């Protein structure tokens, strides 16, 4: 049997009301040389039934079912059976932009090991493209050492798995860490640096990320998120010295962010995070992403709980209508 050009892996957990939109975005693509590998990860809603019903009418869709083991395990199940030349990861609450596969196929003529593309951030009331650094404003083919800059540079393509196409031969035998529930995709990408030679960067937004409260990223504090610290610590052992300072600063901020979520209802985890922060040496002396975060990190050096509370205030302001109004006013000439 001829191998498809794309293998599109969809890890599914309790996403029944998003699945039709997600799968339709793939099936409506003009480029149709693909297979869809949907892995139900022990859903307790109607997700598996929806997938099985659709699979009866769509030959490109293969459905797998497993006991709940997390998104990394579901992606790994898909990787083990993928046959495509390139592998894409699509979350079930997100969807592909129109003609995404056609655009991507045309750009992959150079056969890069990884292709990165931009993301549209969408919600019920607005949609906008992720802001990219000027360096990535045009299509370009980069050598492997630049991959870390692509991930870590402010305004880069970040460490997401969903906005990348991976040449399957280049990642053969590589899997997501099933013990990491948050930042697992960034860890996966950092660990690829020794295996890839060329990276293609595309400014076109080909993936639509749906922002909603039910996703792991936006669902408030979950003890599983603490595994993100483990992920960052492992990244620190893999990246050159030039990237380590910013990564350590990011880790410190992440500990405070998680602690702000645990502050009220998860005191045991809060104490764990506070102890983790107190063991860090040296502490951050600066923050590259603005005065609010810099202030929070400075406060944390002498009063960790105060910094966590300050982070809560900052996040409330960021999510408020007043913040968007002020930002709009400041942007006007």
């Amino acid at each position: 049997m001829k191998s498809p050009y794309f293998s599109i892996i969809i890890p599914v957990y309790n996403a029944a009301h998003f699945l039709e939109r997600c799968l339709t975005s793939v099936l409506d693509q003009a480029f149709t040389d693909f297979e869809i590998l949907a892995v139900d990860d022990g859903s307790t809603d109607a997700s598996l039934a929806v997938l099985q019903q659709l699979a009866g009418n769509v030959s490109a869709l293969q459905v797998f079912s497993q006991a709940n083991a997390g998104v990394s395990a579901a992606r790994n199940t898909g990787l083990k059976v993928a046959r495509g030349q390139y592998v894409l990861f699509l979350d079930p609450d997100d969807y592909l932009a129109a003609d995404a596969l056609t655009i991507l196929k045309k750009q992959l003529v150079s056969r890069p090991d990884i292709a990165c593309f931009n993301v549209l951030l969408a919600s019920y009331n607005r949609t906008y493209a992720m802001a990219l650094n000027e360096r990535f404003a045009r299509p370009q083919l980069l050598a492997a050492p630049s991959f870390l800059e692509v991930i870590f540079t402010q305004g880069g393509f970040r460490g997401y798995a969903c906005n990348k196409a991976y040449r399957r031969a280049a990642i053969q035998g590589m899997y997501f860490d099933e013990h990491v529930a948050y930042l697992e995709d960034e860890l996966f990408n950092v660990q690829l640096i020794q295996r890839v030679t060329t990276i293609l960067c595309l400014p076109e937004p080909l993936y639509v990320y749906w922002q909603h409260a039910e996703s792991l990223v936006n669902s408030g504090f979950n003890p599983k998120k603490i595994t993100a610290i483990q992920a960052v610590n492992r990244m620190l052992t893999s990246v050159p010295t030039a990237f380590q300072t910013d990564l350590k600063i990011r880790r410190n901020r992440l500990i405070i962010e998680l602690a702000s979520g645990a502050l009220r209802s998860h005191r045991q985890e809060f104490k764990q995070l506070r102890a983790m922060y107190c063991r860090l040496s040296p502490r951050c002396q600066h923050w590259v992403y603005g005065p609010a975060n810099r202030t929070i990190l400075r406060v944390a050096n002498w009063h960790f709980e105060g910094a966590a509370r300050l982070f809560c205030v900052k996040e409330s302001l960021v999510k408020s209508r007043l913040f968007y109004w002020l930002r709009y006013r400041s942007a006007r000439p």
Side-chain angles (χ1 to χ4, degrees), residues 135-136 140-147 150 197-201:
R135 178 181 176 186
F136 305 115
Q140 55 189 305
L141 191 65
L142 302 174
S146 299
F147 188 38
V150 169
T197 57
T198 53
I199 315 296
L200 176 66
C201 296

Side-chain angles (χ1 to χ4, degrees), residues 107 116-119 129-130 132-133 136-140 157 201-206:
Q107 296 288 350
C116 307
F117 42 87
N118 203 3
V119 174
M130 188 172 70
L132 289 179
N133 188 297
F136 305 115
R138 58 180 178 80
Q140 55 189 305
F157 292 92
C201 296
L202 303 172
E204 292 92 343
L206 305 182

